Amino acid sequence: MNPHDYCQDRAAKSGSSFYYSFMFLPPEQRQAITALYAFCREVDDVVDECHDVSLAQIKLEWWRQEVERIFTGTPTHPVGFALQDVLTRFKLPQEQLLEIIDGMAMDLSQTRYLDFKGLQLYCYRVASVVGLLSVEIFGYENRQTLKYAHDLGVALQLTNIIRDVGEDARRGRIYLPIEDLQRFGVPAKDILEARYSDAFRELMAFQAERAEHFYEQAFAQLPAGDRKAQRPGLVMAAIYRTLLREIAPDGFQVLDRRISLTPVRKVWLAGSTWFKG
């Protein structure tokens, strides 16, 4: 299996909505974004699958070194070789790849966020930076598009957080800011023990409104001239925003289950969004 086939296999097996967003791209761009996605999966899995914090830190440090090797022409991992090839055609700043790793590392040392400002830094590192790198692959003419990518990344990550509240709690993590829990009178213990309440539903409605705000802000900042090139991001937005709007009417039943869209529905949303332009 060559490096790009490895990345393709990694993406296809993930079942992520990210995969559907680049299925219509030309081969060269699809290969590049798939390599970037595979990199994100590798470092994310270090945190999610390695229960020994010290070992996870060692593995993330290995990936920091691998990023260095990518840019000096000496990678050792299939994803590293794929990204090295991608760098010959697309500008992917080294510091941004490292910042993604920094974002994943936050999960090893922080399980709570005092306020939204702190959470925004996490969202920026694990999602907005990925958006900024993706924009380089998709292409853009207007630098305003970078602001769109930043805010769309926050919107997508907030949607992830809303969807995964229960799953994250089972790992001992609560991404909902402490100031929001206190504002709505929701004890952290209720989330950790999967207890629903009217206060919890009001808290989650507030989180959904915040995510909607970032979607709207992102769309408002996307220049018309770059809209066609940025269709993969719009596909992601369509899938994730649809998911967000499915979670809300069900009373935010996210503590004891994972709500998702079917693959068929994701393909339909991807196709309809792509061809609508």
Side-chain angles (χ1 to χ4, degrees), residues 16-53:
S16 169
S17 299
F18 201 97
Y19 179 72
Y20 295 88
S21 72
F22 48 76
M23 60 192 302
F24 299 110
L25 281 169
E28 190 174 75
Q29 288 181 318
R30 187 168 65 248
Q31 195 176 68
I33 196 67
T34 301
L36 174 61
Y37 175 74
F39 169 78
C40 294
R41 280 260 53 89
E42 292 287 345
V43 294
D44 187 44
D45 285 352
V46 167
V47 175
D48 286 345
E49 297 178 4
C50 187
H51 302 297
D52 183 324
V53 173

Side-chain angles (χ1 to χ4, degrees), residues 156-202:
L156 297 175
Q157 189 59 31
L158 290 176
T159 304
N160 266 338
I161 288 170
I162 291 167
R163 178 195 63 193
D164 296 340
V165 170
E167 186 176 319
D168 290 330
R170 287 186 286 278
R171 291 187 173 123
R173 300 178 195 150
I174 299 177
Y175 292 100
L176 306 176
I178 292 172
E179 67 175 7
D180 293 347
L181 297 179
Q182 293 176 340
R183 174 182 173 183
F184 288 93
V186 178
K189 190 175 181 182
D190 281 5
I191 293 175
L192 294 171
E193 296 180 358
R195 283 199 291 265
Y196 291 101
S197 65
D198 289 341
F200 173 76
R201 283 181 278 274
E202 290 172 8

Side-chain angles (χ1 to χ4, degrees), residues 35 41 60 70 78 88 166 190 225 263 272:
R41 280 260 53 89
L60 286 183
I70 290 168
T88 64
D190 281 5
S272 60

Side-chain angles (χ1 to χ4, degrees), residues 60-76:
L60 286 183
E61 182 56 35
W62 185 93
W63 273 105
R64 288 190 181 95
Q65 294 170 8
E66 180 70 355
V67 170
E68 298 284 345
R69 290 190 289 267
I70 290 168
F71 283 84
T72 56
T74 58
T76 59

Side-chain angles (χ1 to χ4, degrees), residues 30-246:
R30 187 168 65 248
Q31 195 176 68
I33 196 67
T34 301
L36 174 61
Y37 175 74
F39 169 78
C40 294
R41 280 260 53 89
E42 292 287 345
V43 294
D44 187 44
D45 285 352
V46 167
V47 175
D48 286 345
E49 297 178 4
C50 187
H51 302 297
D52 183 324
V53 173
S54 296
L55 181 58
Q57 289 171 336
I58 290 170
K59 288 185 174 183
L60 286 183
E61 182 56 35
W62 185 93
W63 273 105
R64 288 190 181 95
Q65 294 170 8
E66 180 70 355
V67 170
E68 298 284 345
R69 290 190 289 267
I70 290 168
F71 283 84
T72 56
T74 58
T76 59
H77 192 280
V79 172
F81 281 108
L83 283 173
Q84 182 190 20
D85 178 51
V86 167
L87 288 174
T88 64
R89 290 163 283 152
F90 300 97
K91 178 188 174 186
L92 303 181
Q94 180 177 352
E95 61 271 18
Q96 290 186 335
L97 291 174
L98 291 172
E99 195 144 26
I100 292 171
I101 298 175
D102 290 341
M104 302 304 177
M106 290 175 72
D107 279 333
L108 300 178
S109 60
Q110 190 166 354
T111 59
R112 304 284 193 279
Y113 289 87
L114 179 62
D115 51 28
F116 183 60
K117 183 179 179 181
L119 181 62
Q120 268 193 290
L121 174 61
Y122 176 76
C123 292
Y124 170 74
R125 287 176 169 173
V126 301
S128 293
V129 172
V130 179
L132 294 171
L133 288 165
S134 300
V135 161
E136 295 293 342
I137 294 171
F138 304 147
Y140 66 97
E141 298 293 334
N142 191 325
R143 289 190 62 82
Q144 184 74 16
T145 298
L146 298 175
K147 294 182 179 179
Y148 146 81
H150 173 281
D151 286 348
L152 182 59
V154 175
L156 297 175
Q157 189 59 31
L158 290 176
T159 304
N160 266 338
I161 288 170
I162 291 167
R163 178 195 63 193
D164 296 340
V165 170
E167 186 176 319
D168 290 330
R170 287 186 286 278
R171 291 187 173 123
R173 300 178 195 150
I174 299 177
Y175 292 100
L176 306 176
I178 292 172
E179 67 175 7
D180 293 347
L181 297 179
Q182 293 176 340
R183 174 182 173 183
F184 288 93
V186 178
K189 190 175 181 182
D190 281 5
I191 293 175
L192 294 171
E193 296 180 358
R195 283 199 291 265
Y196 291 101
S197 65
D198 289 341
F200 173 76
R201 283 181 278 274
E202 290 172 8
L203 166 68
M204 296 307 293
F206 176 75
Q207 305 303 319
E209 284 178 22
R210 177 181 279 155
E212 290 279 5
H213 165 75
F214 275 95
Y215 281 116
E216 288 299 324
Q217 190 165 281
F219 298 149
Q221 295 183 110
L222 177 59
D226 282 341
R227 184 178 176 86
K228 185 174 181 180
Q230 297 303 318
R231 283 181 296 180
L234 295 175
V235 168
M236 277 290 288
I239 292 173
Y240 270 72
R241 207 176 192 188
T242 299
L243 173 64
L244 180 64
R245 291 174 175 180
E246 294 248 328

